[in-house]
């Protein structure tokens, strides 16, 4: 019985490893060539596996794209060590969040790859709804974590909108990075950190 169990566990491990290998190959294709070059055959070639192996794990290009998006969304959510402790001074927290989030997440090539995948499926209602649902869950997590780091913001009537504004600006900068000079990004990040500091310091309870 134990031998059967061990064999089953080994099969699951190998299957998970193969799946991860295929997803990484697909991500590499998206980053290097764009979504137009993504196919089951090309993923198999890059991963040095058979097309049958790709079909076994994903079934179709649409299913593969959905799993790529889910994988990338999960990875975005896992990059959480840029959240500063709430007891830090406001200036330190604002600078830390903006610059660390940029260096570890929004300024990384994988961020642009994720949005490449999003844009590639924007005309597919099923995949678009899947992305919307996954991003809604991710947004809730980000808002909760940001509220823990910046309780002053969480307590404001417009606090959530302000937190969303900071993250949306980081996303926007991440999207234009491939087409912008690096010298123009850092000053904008500092302006964003200054804006976040102003938000933190604005404790007025306005409707």
């Amino acid at each position: 019985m134990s031998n059967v169990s061990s064999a089953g566990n080994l099969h699951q491990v190998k299957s998970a490893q193969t799946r991860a290998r295929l997803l990484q190959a697909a991500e590499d294709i998206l980053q290097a060539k764009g979504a137009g070059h993504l196919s089951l055959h090309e993923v198999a070639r890059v991963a040095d596996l058979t097309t049958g192996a790709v079909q076994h794990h994903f079934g179709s290009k649409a299913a593969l794209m959905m799993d790529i998006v889910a994988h990338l969304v999960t990875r975005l959510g896992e990059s959480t060590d840029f959240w500063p402790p709430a007891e830090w001074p406001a200036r330190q927290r604002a600078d830390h969040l903006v610059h660390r989030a940029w260096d570890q997440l929004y300024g990384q090539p994988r961020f642009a790859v994720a949005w490449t995948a999003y844009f590639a499926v924007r005309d597919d209602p099923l995949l678009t709804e899947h992305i919307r649902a996954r991003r809604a869950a991710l947004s809730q997590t980000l808002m909760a974590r940001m509220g823990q780091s910046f309780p002053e913001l969480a307590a404001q009537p417009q606090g959530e909108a302000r937190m969303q504004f900071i993250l949306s600006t980081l996303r926007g900068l991440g999207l234009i990075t491939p087409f912008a000079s690096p010298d123009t990004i850092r000053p904008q990040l500092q302006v964003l950190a200054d804006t976040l500091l102003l938000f933190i310091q604005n404790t007025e309870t306005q409707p």
Side-chain angles (χ1 to χ4, degrees), residues 108-147:
Q108 292 296 312
R110 71 175 183 270
F111 180 78
V113 170
W115 282 91
T116 297
Y118 299 160
F119 291 143
V121 301
R122 63 185 181 276
D123 294 327
D124 186 313
L126 178 62
L127 291 175
T128 299
E129 181 58 34
H130 174 76
I131 294 169
R132 185 179 293 113
R134 294 298 295 263
R135 285 195 52 76
L138 176 60
S139 179
Q140 288 182 350
T141 300
L142 292 176
M143 287 298 96
R145 292 299 300 270
M146 195 166 180

Side-chain angles (χ1 to χ4, degrees), residues 34-48:
H37 292 270
L38 185 69
S39 67
L40 301 186
H41 175 75
E42 184 64 9
V43 170
R45 187 189 68 79
V46 172
D48 196 23

